[in-house]
């Protein structure tokens, strides 16, 4: 792994693969690591949405216009601040998140706030869920767990507002484990 950006042919093949595979899946999840692999993400979002699939994006960088048209993006606090600037209180965060949501034509923005939980901003307003009270051993993969759980539940037909508390719970479970960890169905629903 030399951290080289993929060449044009590889990215074009990736676009074709997403267009071909999206109709056969219940949800599409893109996790942007800022390495160039999602250079054509607008085309892939459009293909997945054309297939009628929800698109969930874990964003990266300071320009979120490339994620326009996705169903939901899930920035953490610092990623959100890179894009909209800092905020003084919850009301200002809500204004900035709703402005971003409308500007990008997203159904929702889910801001993960570490120990403060997470807040979903959608057309109906906002929904906040506090973090699950537990001892934190390792935050590795918590954001990945949240969006993966959210994608699985949305793909199964749950609305974002019902899926978000379960995704929050899943994130709380993995931070209570050492190293990169997973959450079982039994852990999530006990």
């Amino acid at each position: 792994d030399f951290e080289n950006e993929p060449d044009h042919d590889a990215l074009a093949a990736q676009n074709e693969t997403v267009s071909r595979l999206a109709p056969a899946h219940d949800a599409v999840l893109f996790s942007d690591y800022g390495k160039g692999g999602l250079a054509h993400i607008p085309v892939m979002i459009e293909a997945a949405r054309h297939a009628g699939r929800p698109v969930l994006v874990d964003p990266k960088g300071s320009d979120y216009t490339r994620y326009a048209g996705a169903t939901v993006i899930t920035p953490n606090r610092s990623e959100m601040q890179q894009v909209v600037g800092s905020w003084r209180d919850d009301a200002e965060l809500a204004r900035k998140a709703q402005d971003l949501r409308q500007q990008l034509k997203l159904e929702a923005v889910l801001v993960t706030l570490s120990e403060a939980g997470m807040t979903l901003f959608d057309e109906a307003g906002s929904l906040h869920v506090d973090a699950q009270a537990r001892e934190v051993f390792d935050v590795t993969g918590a954001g990945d767990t949240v969006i993966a759980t959210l994608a699985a539940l949305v793909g199964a037909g749950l609305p974002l507002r019902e899926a978000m508390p379960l995704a929050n719970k899943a994130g709380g479970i993995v931070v209570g484990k050492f190293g990169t960890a997973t959450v079982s169905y039994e852990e999530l629903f006990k």
Side-chain angles (χ1 to χ4, degrees), residues 149-162:
T149 304
L150 196 66
L153 295 170
V154 167
L158 243 57
L160 282 168
R161 283 181 166 248
E162 291 178 33

Side-chain angles (χ1 to χ4, degrees), residues 34-172:
K35 305 293 184 181
L38 294 180
H40 296 167
I41 193 169
V43 173
M44 294 186 288
I45 289 171
E46 184 179 338
R49 296 298 279 174
H50 181 73
R53 301 302 179 250
V55 176
L56 300 91
V57 180
D58 186 359
K60 193 66 71 197
S62 58
D63 179 13
Y64 284 7
T65 57
R66 53 199 257 116
Y67 309 125
T71 305
V72 61
I73 59 173
T74 63
N76 63 33
R77 183 191 324 261
S78 64
E79 290 166 340
M80 186 71 168
Q81 286 174 337
Q82 278 185 304
V83 175
V84 302
S86 60
W87 52 86
R88 289 182 297 280
D89 54 27
D90 291 343
E92 187 175 5
L93 170 58
R95 280 192 304 278
K96 290 181 177 215
Q98 292 290 10
D99 288 347
L100 181 66
R101 183 185 68 77
Q102 291 171 355
Q103 176 188 359
L104 299 181
K105 296 176 176 51
L106 307 168
E107 288 181 27
V109 174
L110 175 61
V111 181
T112 58
L113 302 164
S114 302
E115 68 284 346
M118 58 182 64
T119 305
L120 180 78
F121 300 94
D122 62 11
E123 190 175 289
S126 64
L127 174 66
H128 180 80
V129 177
D130 289 329
Q132 299 285 318
R134 62 177 34 230
E135 192 169 356
V136 176
F137 296 110
D138 191 343
V139 298
T140 303
D144 294 330
T145 298
V146 166
I147 194 168
T149 304
L150 196 66
L153 295 170
V154 167
L158 243 57
L160 282 168
R161 283 181 166 248
E162 291 178 33
M164 189 263 286
L166 290 166
N168 182 59
K169 183 177 179 185

